[in-house]
Amino acid sequence: MKIALDAMGGDFAPGATVEGAILAAESLAGKAEILLIGDEPQIQAELQKHGYTSSRISIIHTTQVIEMGEHPTKALTQKPDSSIAKGYALLKAKEVDAFASAGNTGAMLVGALFSVKAVEGFMRPCIASFAPKLNGGIGVIVDVGANADCKPEVLEQFGEIGSIYAEEVLKIDNPKVGLMNLGEEEGKGNMATQAAHQLLKANPNINFIGNIEGRDLFNDKADVIVCDGYTGNVILKMAESFYDILKEKQICDPFIDRLDYEAVGGTPILGINGNAIIGHGASSPGAICNMLKQAYQMASSDVSEKFKKTHSA
C-alpha cells in the first residue's frame, strides 16, 4: 500500500511532516510505504537529521507550495506542480491508495472536487470528524465544515455516507444514525432539518433513530451524527476547546484526552473517488503520524469503493 503525504503542508512543515512520516513508516512497517511530496532537498535534509535511510519512505519532488492564505481554486490552477496538486494527481491515477495533507484546507477540498471528484450519485462530499463516547466507543459527525448550507436531500446522503464509514472503517454493526436538532421530537427544527428528518426516516439503507440534541454527542444514542457543516464545525471546535480548557486547568482524564485532535490526526473527506484526509494546520509529528495511520485504515477498508457500490446499488 502507498500513502502520499504533503510534506510541505502545515505550520511546522517540513520538520513535523517528515518526523511524523518516519513515525508512521515504522508503525506501519511491512504494511505501507509513505511517499513524501514536496521540495526534495528540504525533505532529504529533514530525513538526514533523523538519520533515516529506510526504503519505507520515498520522495516525489515538486517545485511549488500552496500557502495557507492562498485562494484554493486560483492556487491549484496557478501551481500545478504544488504538493497538493501532485498528491491528487497520484490519487486520481491510482498510483497511491490515500493522500493526506495538513496544508491549505480549501485547496484540499477543491482538489477533491475537481480532481478525484465526488462519487456519482452523491450531491456533495463532506468532511467527517469523530466523537469519543463515554462507553469507550467512537462516533462520526458529518459534516464538519465542507458545506455550511445543506438541502434536506444532502443531509439525507450524509446519513448514508456516515453510516458506510462507521460500518466499514470503524467496524460498527448497523450504526445508529441521528439528526442533530434543537429537540428530540419529530416536528422540531428549521425547515431543512424537518424535511431531512422525513427523508432519513424513509431511507431503508440506514438505521435512523430520529433527532438528537447537543447533549447526546458523547453518549451512545447515535453512532453517526448528521448536521450541516456550519453546525458541525461549531460542535467540533467547542469539543476541542474542552480539551484545551481542562489541560490548562491541569485536569487529566482518559476520556478528555480523546478530544485532542492530535489523537485522531485528521478529518477524512467522504463521498469522493479516493481516500483523502485533511490534517490540522498546527499538526505535530504525532498528529501527522496518526493522520497517516488513519489513511491506512481507510484504504484498508476500501471505503471509497463501498461508497460507489452502495450508491449504484
Side-chain angles (χ1 to χ4, degrees), residues 33-281:
E33 178 191 348
I34 310 295
L35 277 65
L36 292 173
I37 307 172
D39 184 73
E40 188 166 4
Q42 289 189 58
I43 296 169
Q44 285 284 16
E46 291 297 330
L47 287 169
Q48 284 167 14
K49 272 186 198 174
H50 297 278
Y52 197 81
T53 55
S54 171
S55 60
R56 290 171 191 154
I57 291 179
S58 55
I59 302 169
I60 294 173
H61 179 63
T62 56
T63 58
Q64 296 171 310
V65 178
I66 295 175
E67 304 293 346
M68 288 297 199
E70 288 192 71
H71 187 280
T73 310
K74 279 184 186 174
L76 281 167
T77 306
Q78 293 167 2
K79 295 183 174 180
D81 198 40
S82 63
S83 44
I84 289 178
K86 184 67 177 175
Y88 273 120
L90 291 169
L91 191 63
K92 185 180 181 182
K94 299 193 184 302
E95 291 179 35
V96 297
D97 300 285
F99 173 49
S101 173
N104 186 307
T105 300
M108 281 296 288
L109 283 169
V110 171
L113 283 167
F114 292 101
S115 179
V116 292
K117 297 185 170 59
V119 170
E120 190 176 347
F122 284 131
M123 288 176 269
R124 301 298 298 266
C126 55
I127 309 176
S129 191
F130 307 96
K133 300 295 186 177
L134 287 163
N135 65 3
I138 192 165
V140 61
I141 314 168
V142 283
D143 179 29
V144 295
N147 308 277
D149 296 299
C150 294
K151 293 178 180 177
E153 295 81 6
V154 172
L155 290 171
E156 179 196 9
Q157 287 194 344
F158 289 172
E160 292 183 330
I161 290 170
S163 198
I164 294 166
Y165 185 89
E167 201 154 9
E168 300 297 334
V169 181
L170 302 180
K171 306 301 180 189
I172 300 170
D173 290 328
N174 196 26
K176 297 171 286 186
V177 178
L179 177 65
M180 184 57 70
N181 213 325
L182 48 75
E184 293 180 349
E185 297 83 4
E186 191 169 322
K188 287 287 182 78
N190 56 26
M191 290 178 74
T193 55
Q194 285 178 28
H197 189 287
Q198 298 307 314
L199 294 171
L200 288 160
K201 187 179 173 183
N203 191 319
N205 299 320
I206 57 175
N207 176 18
F208 182 57
I209 54 94
N211 289 335
I212 60 170
E213 298 176 291
R215 62 185 173 188
D216 298 313
L217 187 64
F218 303 120
N219 64 29
D220 60 357
K221 195 166 182 182
D223 303 302
V224 178
I225 296 155
V226 175
C227 54
D228 60 68
Y230 184 97
T231 305
N233 196 267
V234 171
I235 290 170
L236 174 64
K237 298 293 167 59
M238 189 175 70
E240 285 180 358
S241 78
F242 294 160
Y243 173 79
D244 295 331
I245 291 164
L246 292 170
K247 191 176 179 184
E248 194 175 308
K249 290 186 169 290
Q250 299 183 319
I251 297 170
C252 297
D253 184 89
F255 173 78
I256 297 299
D257 289 343
R258 296 174 70 205
L259 292 171
D260 181 10
Y261 72 85
E262 294 201 0
V264 175
T267 52
I269 306 172
L270 303 182
I272 59 171
N273 293 295
N275 302 303
I277 300 184
I278 303 170
H280 199 291

